[in-house]
Amino acid sequence: MDRLTNTVRPYAWGSTTAIPELLGTAPTGEPQAEMWMGAHPGAPSRTDRGAGPVSLADVIAADPEGELGPDAVRAFGPRLPFLLKLLAAGSPLSLQVHPDLTQAQEGYADEEKRGVPADAPHRNYKDANHKPELICALTPFEGLCGFRHPAEAATLLEGLGVSALKPYADILRAAPEDAALREVLTAVLGADRDETAETVEQAATAARRLAGEGGPHADAYAAYAAIAHHYPGDPGVLAAMLLNHVRLQPGEALFLGAGIPHAYLGGLGVELMANSDNVLRCGLTPKHVDVPELLRVVRFEPRDAGVLRPEEATAAGEEVYETPIDEFRLSRFVMAPGWPSRALGDRSPQILLCTAGAVAVRVVGAGAGGGSVSCTDAGSRADAGSRADAGSRTDVGSRTDLTLAPGESVFVPAGERVELAGEGTIFRATVAL
């Protein structure tokens, strides 16, 4: 197995404190939005097998079947099919959707054929893959997920008392649900920007007042007012009012499938997704919004937010977040005092991430004498900058017995069986073969 050195991405919406607090490092004052664990070409993890640091993407490319296993290569090709992240939102992310696999393949092929540069700001498809994703809260976490039922959205808009919103509310009450959502979103994104900015300001002022008064929509009004504060005049604020507002408690999760509009508003979580970077934005962003392509991809289906809670799937105490996706599977182990060591299967590649405590990971059948695994080696905790991009301890020559502190992770290739021991929490990302 390989201890990973991971890159932290400094996106503007990132929290300045959440990831440093987990890692036990000093904040830099700059936003630290995402820590990537995997082999995505945008920021692959690095490891050291004795010849110096090397990209995990290069390690896998040198021997795909040896690192990923023949089943994963046969199903998804010679690359790690998932990307694991720590995500720390200090302010709202863009309101967005992801394409399904067919849409991604068609969109990517079209832009390649038309010669759209890969780094062009108006490019929609960075690759030919879909990007379903799962976010699991480590702290209280707030977001938007999926369309509200139109009648509920109409009630919320009417409650604001803004005359310019009345036509939208009327459509939501009169038309079939899918047609109503499509018509309103199309109208919001296609309206005159100056007129929309005035409507957004009026709606935000009313939302702040209603949030303070309490009532059944107080939390949602507070969220929409906060969004408007970060993105004044953005039509995405009105689009956001069509979506379910949700608060996750630690351990709860959301699954975001293709075409489901969503945005993360605040909090720290573990995110697992297919290995893609395809995003179509609806608003809350200065970046490109391709309205026609967005409307082609969005699924205008009202739904509940669909909060997931883990289900114990094995006698070993593994708690699984069930999703309909083959590229990834997220589970966790919450290891209390006295928790016996547990062995993990070796059919698929794995990334193990510690988020609390101190957890020892040992390759079964390797190591000195095959004895018990110690979890108290203070020297195994990486130093201050290590679990971000500043250089994690690689333990060259000691790849069979590692101890993980919060924020540290390891890659376990297919065919390598490991066991866990200690007290803490481990998230396990693997392939759902």
Side-chain angles (χ1 to χ4, degrees):
M1 63 182 167
D2 301 271
R3 188 188 292 277
L4 298 178
T5 302
N6 304 306
T7 297
V8 172
R9 311 304 296 265
Y11 305 136
W13 50 261
S15 168
T16 59
T17 59
I19 289 179
E21 285 177 1
L22 181 71
L23 301 180
T25 62
T28 64
E30 299 298 318
Q32 297 187 34
E34 296 180 347
M35 186 172 80
W36 288 22
M37 291 156 279
H40 190 285
S45 299
R46 298 188 303 281
T47 188
D48 189 339
R49 293 187 174 179
V54 62
S55 157
L56 182 60
D58 290 342
V59 169
I60 292 171
D63 184 12
E65 287 206 1
E67 301 295 337
L68 305 177
D71 291 342
V73 172
R74 188 160 43 248
F76 308 112
R79 66 172 191 163
L80 189 67
F82 61 79
L83 175 64
L84 183 65
K85 298 179 181 180
L86 281 173
L87 183 147
S91 60
L93 281 69
S94 62
L95 187 60
Q96 59 189 259
V97 297
H98 306 303
D100 63 26
L101 186 57
T102 299
Q103 291 165 339
Q105 291 170 341
E106 292 174 350
Y108 180 77
D110 175 66
E111 290 186 327
E112 287 288 284
K113 182 179 179 180
R114 291 189 287 115
V116 180
D119 58 352
H122 62 285
R123 174 125 189 180
N124 293 317
Y125 296 95
K126 308 295 185 182
D127 53 67
N129 200 16
H130 63 166
K131 191 187 175 187
E133 60 190 40
L134 179 74
I135 184 77
C136 179
L138 294 179
T139 67
F141 195 95
E142 190 174 10
L144 305 173
C145 177
F147 285 111
R148 294 177 180 272
H149 290 276
E152 182 184 354
T155 297
L156 187 141
L157 293 178
E158 290 165 346
L160 293 168
V162 176
S163 60
L165 296 179
K166 186 178 184 304
Y168 299 147
D170 291 343
I171 294 169
L172 292 169
R173 291 200 183 279
E177 289 190 329
D178 57 345
L181 292 168
R182 176 183 290 274
E183 185 173 352
V184 172
L185 184 63
T186 302
V188 165
L189 297 181
D192 180 88
R193 293 285 300 213
D194 292 336
E195 292 179 5
T196 299
E198 183 178 349
T199 302
V200 168
E201 179 56 34
Q202 292 173 3
T205 299
R208 281 190 289 270
R209 173 178 54 80
L210 291 167
E213 293 176 359
H217 295 298
D219 282 352
Y221 283 137
Y224 300 136
I227 292 169
H229 171 75
H230 288 285
Y231 297 97
D234 193 308
V237 176
L238 302 182
M241 293 182 179
L242 301 174
L243 307 186
N244 295 297
H245 172 249
V246 60
R247 292 183 183 273
L248 300 178
Q249 295 305 310
E252 295 180 333
L254 291 174
F255 172 70
L256 293 313
I260 304 301
H262 61 279
Y264 303 142
L265 306 181
L268 175 67
V270 173
E271 186 179 35
L272 183 59
M273 62 184 61
N275 198 351
S276 172
D277 198 25
N278 285 326
V279 176
L280 290 155
R281 295 175 177 85
C282 311
L284 312 183
T285 178
K287 295 182 179 180
H288 176 62
V289 177
D290 184 335
V291 175
E293 185 65 11
L294 172 73
L295 296 175
R296 187 179 79 89
V297 168
V298 171
R299 294 184 179 177
F300 292 95
E301 302 169 356
R303 63 193 294 273
D304 296 330
V307 175
L308 295 177
R309 295 172 181 83
E311 300 178 6
E312 189 164 319
T314 69
E318 184 177 22
E319 298 177 325
V320 178
Y321 294 89
E322 297 288 354
T323 69
I325 297 301
D326 294 332
E327 283 93 334
F328 62 74
R329 175 181 183 269
L330 183 69
S331 60
R332 69 172 184 175
F333 295 86
V334 181
M335 303 161 60
W339 197 83
S341 62
R342 302 293 192 189
L344 305 184
D346 60 359
R347 184 180 175 192
S348 301
Q350 307 173 60
I351 292 179
L352 305 177
L353 166 67
C354 179
T355 60
V359 178
V361 186
R362 176 178 175 270
V363 177
V364 176
S372 61
V373 182
S374 169
C375 300
T376 57
D377 176 14
S380 70
R381 185 178 179 92
D383 57 23
S386 73
R387 282 151 297 187
D389 199 28
S392 182
R393 203 184 92 169
T394 53
D395 290 311
V396 175
S398 181
R399 294 179 55 246
T400 61
D401 192 347
L402 299 173
T403 299
L404 303 183
E408 293 186 326
S409 57
V410 295
F411 171 73
V412 183
E416 198 163 85
R417 191 172 181 83
V418 298
E419 66 179 13
L420 307 177
E423 299 175 14
T425 300
I426 284 281
F427 279 85
R428 181 191 189 202
T430 187
V431 181
L433 292 173

